[in-house]
Amino acid sequence: MTAKAVMFLALAVAIASWSCSGNHAGQYSEFVTVPAQGWAYGDTVTFNPDSCVTASMDIALRHNDTFPYSSLWVEVSDSLRRDTLKIDLCDAYGRWLGNGLGSSHQVHARLPFAPEPARTLNIRHIMRVDTVKGIEQIGILPAY
């Protein structure tokens, strides 16, 4: 191998490792704000993970005290897979789960499959109502 080829290969490896290194290695996260009038049944939230996703990711829901149910059912899909997920937002006694201040709370649940950078990840609610109220934001982030 020539000196130029070795130098080019070393530069390519350095650039590839730098793009997903440092404070952002495996730290892809993104949140989408839900309209104030609620999350309509036909509205799909989409995410386009970058090349720095981790194998396990969580879905995060930020909600307020106006959410009228104890859990939320969602469908998670990409171009090859589709699965449902039940996300519990409160316990059997009506106490909100997760973390939060005041009337805003955030809960996490493991995604049923790891997102892949080349595929759009779609999330939609599959509750038996047209519009779910009380959900403020939906996001994906590295698993806890």
Side-chain angles (χ1 to χ4, degrees):
M1 202 179 256
T2 67
K4 282 186 178 181
V6 170
M7 188 72 114
F8 178 75
L9 184 60
L11 181 62
V13 169
I15 290 172
S17 65
W18 172 74
S19 66
C20 288
S21 65
N23 293 336
H24 303 291
Q27 297 298 314
Y28 173 82
S29 65
E30 182 179 359
F31 277 85
V32 174
T33 301
V34 175
Q37 60 268 26
W39 188 7
Y41 182 77
D43 291 347
T44 301
V45 178
T46 60
F47 299 97
N48 294 300
D50 62 19
S51 60
C52 297
V53 297
T54 59
S56 296
M57 301 283 292
D58 282 352
I59 181 173
L61 290 176
R62 292 179 181 157
H63 65 93
N64 57 44
D65 289 341
T66 64
F67 184 77
Y69 310 105
S70 62
S71 58
L72 178 75
W73 283 90
V74 296
E75 177 186 83
V76 180
S77 64
D78 64 13
S79 59
L80 296 178
R81 303 164 288 192
R82 180 180 314 256
D83 208 342
T84 57
L85 179 64
K86 178 186 176 195
I87 304 169
D88 291 320
L89 279 74
C90 71
D91 65 15
Y93 301 102
R95 293 180 295 229
W96 294 117
L97 301 172
N99 300 314
L101 294 170
S103 66
S104 187
H105 311 277
Q106 180 171 313
V107 295
H108 298 251
R110 185 70 37 97
L111 285 171
F113 52 83
E116 295 186 23
R119 296 192 182 110
T120 299
L121 185 70
N122 303 300
I123 300 173
R124 68 181 185 101
H125 83 79
I126 52 173
M127 301 291 283
R128 293 185 178 188
V129 295
D130 287 335
T131 303
V132 173
K133 306 254 186 217
I135 301 293
E136 298 170 342
Q137 291 185 320
I138 302 152
I140 60 171
L141 59 157
Y144 278 6

